[in-house]
Amino acid sequence: MKIKLGRNDQCWCGSGRKYKTCHMAFDEKIDTYRRMGHIVPDHSIIKTAEDIEKIKESAKINIAVLDYVAANIKEGMCTQEIDDMVYSKTIEMGGIPAPLNYEGYPKSVCTSINDVVCHGIPCEDEILMDGDIVNVDCSTILDGYFSDSSRMFMIGNVADDMKNLVEVAHKSLEVGLSAVKPWGFLGDVGQAINDYVKSNGYSVVREIGGHGIGKEFHEEPFVSYVSKKGTEMLMVPGFCFTIEPMINMGKCDVLVDEDDDWTVFTKDGSPSAQWEIQLVVTEDGYEILSW
Ligand code: MF3
Ligand code: CO
């Protein structure tokens, strides 16, 4: 049973203030959207100011780890060396790599090269070669709070069409971000990204998307980048999620490796690129927390 908070009760957000002077109007506004039939976020995924500070501490590590990878990644290196860098840097800074043992995932980071869309598993015999594009996806746990972001790296001389794919994937984040505003919908973000990517002749992966994040690695909702404007979850201040569209040069179809059950490939063998940021919706827009 859930008892409705009284006006003079303490607010659910932990501010210590009375409900009526804290989140009451906020909840009423969300309720009007719910009554109109929209998907709305539950309190459990809305972050307080304190939560955001904790996520930022976690993200400091995540960003530093990706900066460290950026400074050291090079041709001839195996992807296991990237995993070693991520593990040691994260631990040195007091964090825990979130992927390690997550639902049985065996490593500390995902390294996805060329036609690997995401969840590539680092290993000794996979060497970064001249012309490769690789996504390094890092996630950190600090004091129970999660951060998650990924970047693309281009190894040596990358062909122009692959460079363009990496750039369009990056620009699609900016296009998605410009559709983020409080009391808008996640579908606004999805449609903006999909329209932009399609206009560049590429496709957006449908089956894998972003997610809410903060106190768990993957919280509600699933964030699609092929959704429609005005649909999907209402974005409210304190809602924290990732924008991480996977962009294929060819068709959008993907397959999962049957041997490791993790590695996702493009079905047509075309290259795929992805950048990921973590953000929180604010009263007047958004704040990027990890990149
Ligand atoms: N970092 C990925 C994401 O963006 C999740 C990877 S799960 C793992 O959601 F287990 F493969 F690491
Ligand atoms: Co993510």
Side-chain angles (χ1 to χ4, degrees), residues 98-110 118-121 135-139 147-150 208-211 213 217-218 242 244 246 262 274 276:
L100 193 56
N101 302 318
Y102 176 77
E103 293 183 3
Y105 188 78
K107 299 285 175 173
S108 296
V109 64
C110 299
C118 64
H119 302 166
I121 305 174
N135 171 278
V136 178
D137 191 341
C138 282
S139 320
S147 51
D148 184 9
S149 51
S150 79
I208 316 157
H211 49 96
I213 176 167
F217 196 170
H218 297 119
T242 66
E244 50 174 317
M246 282 144 250
W262 279 104
Q274 178 190 28
E276 173 179 18

Side-chain angles (χ1 to χ4, degrees), residues 30-50:
I30 290 179
D31 244 6
T32 63
Y33 282 93
R34 181 186 286 122
R35 285 195 296 270
M36 287 189 285
H38 288 292
I39 303 165
V40 300
D42 196 78
H43 287 166
S44 65
I45 61 164
I46 295 170
K47 273 67 192 178
T48 64
E50 246 180 15

